[in-house]
Amino acid sequence: GATGAALVWIPRRAGERGALEAGALPGLLPGGRPATDPRAREETAAAWGVAELPRSPGRDTGQIVEAAASGELGALVVAGLEPADLPDPARVREALDAVGFLVSLEQRPGEVTERADVVLPVAAVAEKPGTYVDWEGRARPFEAAVRPDQATTRQPMPDARVLHMLAAAMDVDLALPDVPSARAELERLGRWRGEWASGPSEPARPVPRPQAGEAVLAGHRLLLDRGRLQEGDDALAATRHAALARVSAATAEEAGVKDGDVLRVTGPAGSVQLPLKVTAMPDRVVWLPLNSTGGGVASDTGAQPGAVVRIGPATTPEVQS
């Protein structure tokens, strides 16, 4: 309050800020325009060459998953997603299994491609032009580093071109056959100079109260983990940090484990076992790397950071890695 400082969002994935600028959230239009603002809707409709936009907001990711799982959606187009990326991987798998027709845009095979009716390979970043947006909102355009005539095999198409062709197959003309077309459309829209959409709000929740033998789960994904784009690059994968569980000295003593032991962390769906590193940190908190072991902490335990889990000595010498 004294300095005027405020929170700022620095996303983990390179494309997340760009996704917001493109209007990927259900309440946003391109350029951060609020979907409820009449002038923003008029500007966007004019740029898209339509009379008006739908008045209801779109679905967010969780709502898309539920609509697919319940049969409300007959088809899904999924790009670059692993179920373990989302808060409830089990529900995502149910949705993928339930939807009538599944299209996957991918660079590597995974759980989605295993279930897909159609798999469309798309170009990697080095093979296509595009734009990154940094956390301040500054555009960083780039051109393709690898040209088709430099490659030894046929180049996959950019994902923008694939989406344009999918729309055409559904008798919808996006008028975005390539990246220059998309850039030109954004330039025509220009900057939004009206009121910004309100920021997200998260309701207060009761503070977790773990008892003896329990801990609050904490964690994040390491820069190098079990991400699929590292597959086939053994040298890069060999530089990953070791997958370790971390608790305080008091918590380790209370749980009956010591530094170097194998710690078992159990949630509602199962458990993970990792070597323990006693670390200076709050008591009755256990930190785990979220995607460095097994199928990922969310998939293997059914717990997300903030949940109370059980901790204790491993019941088997086997350690996941």
Side-chain angles (χ1 to χ4, degrees):
T3 65
L7 294 174
V8 65
W9 174 56
I10 303 179
R12 183 178 74 85
R13 295 178 177 85
E16 288 185 352
R17 176 60 192 263
L20 290 186
E21 294 290 343
L25 287 183
L28 290 183
L29 298 170
R33 291 168 167 78
T36 55
D37 188 287
R39 182 161 66 88
R41 294 164 57 81
E42 291 174 4
E43 290 179 359
T44 308
W48 288 351
V50 297
E52 61 178 357
L53 301 183
R55 297 190 175 278
S56 58
R59 296 181 176 94
D60 62 23
T61 304
Q63 291 168 334
I64 292 172
V65 169
E66 289 304 316
S70 67
E72 184 179 350
L73 293 180
L76 281 180
V77 176
V78 182
L81 173 74
E82 285 296 304
D85 290 336
L86 298 181
D88 190 347
R91 188 59 171 167
V92 175
R93 295 183 184 104
E94 291 175 6
L96 296 175
D97 290 335
V99 74
F101 193 76
L102 179 61
V103 179
S104 175
L105 278 60
E106 274 298 348
Q107 297 173 21
R108 294 285 193 278
E111 289 190 63
V112 179
T113 54
E114 291 171 358
R115 294 167 164 84
D117 297 283
V118 177
V119 179
L120 300 173
V122 294
V125 171
E127 300 169 329
K128 61 187 177 185
T131 301
Y132 281 119
V133 181
D134 69 14
W135 66 272
E136 292 183 307
R138 302 176 190 273
R140 296 290 185 262
F142 59 88
E143 299 303 319
V146 178
R147 304 290 181 181
D149 57 358
Q150 295 175 299
T152 57
T153 59
R154 182 180 179 274
Q155 294 277 294
M157 287 188 291
D159 36 9
R161 175 65 178 166
V162 172
L163 292 173
H164 177 85
M165 295 174 67
L166 285 175
M170 300 170 67
D171 297 324
V172 175
D173 183 12
L174 293 183
L176 299 173
D178 48 36
V179 170
S181 300
R183 288 174 175 165
E185 181 178 280
L186 290 171
E187 289 176 4
R188 288 196 303 273
L189 270 169
R191 293 184 58 191
W192 170 242
R193 302 189 182 279
E195 293 291 328
W196 295 104
S198 58
S201 62
E202 181 70 16
R205 301 178 184 178
V207 177
R209 302 291 184 187
Q211 305 300 312
E214 297 179 335
V216 177
L217 177 63
H220 60 265
R221 290 185 60 159
L222 301 180
L223 181 61
L224 294 178
D225 55 17
R226 296 174 67 88
R228 291 201 175 272
L229 288 183
Q230 297 166 51
E231 290 180 355
D233 194 337
D234 295 337
L236 179 62
T239 67
R240 296 170 181 161
H241 288 290
L244 301 172
R246 297 177 182 272
V247 300
S248 69
T251 303
E253 182 178 0
E254 183 178 73
V257 291
K258 62 182 183 302
D259 195 76
D261 286 352
V262 177
L263 182 73
R264 184 182 182 92
V265 180
T266 304
S271 62
V272 297
Q273 297 182 175
L274 287 172
L276 174 63
K277 178 66 175 178
V278 173
T279 304
M281 56 188 288
D283 295 333
R284 290 186 177 172
V285 173
V286 57
W287 183 93
L288 297 176
L290 296 183
N291 193 42
S292 296
T293 180
V297 171
S299 292
D300 292 345
T301 68
Q304 285 286 323
V308 175
V309 293
R310 301 192 304 278
I311 60 173
T315 56
T316 171
E318 178 184 356
V319 178
Q320 299 180 33
S321 61

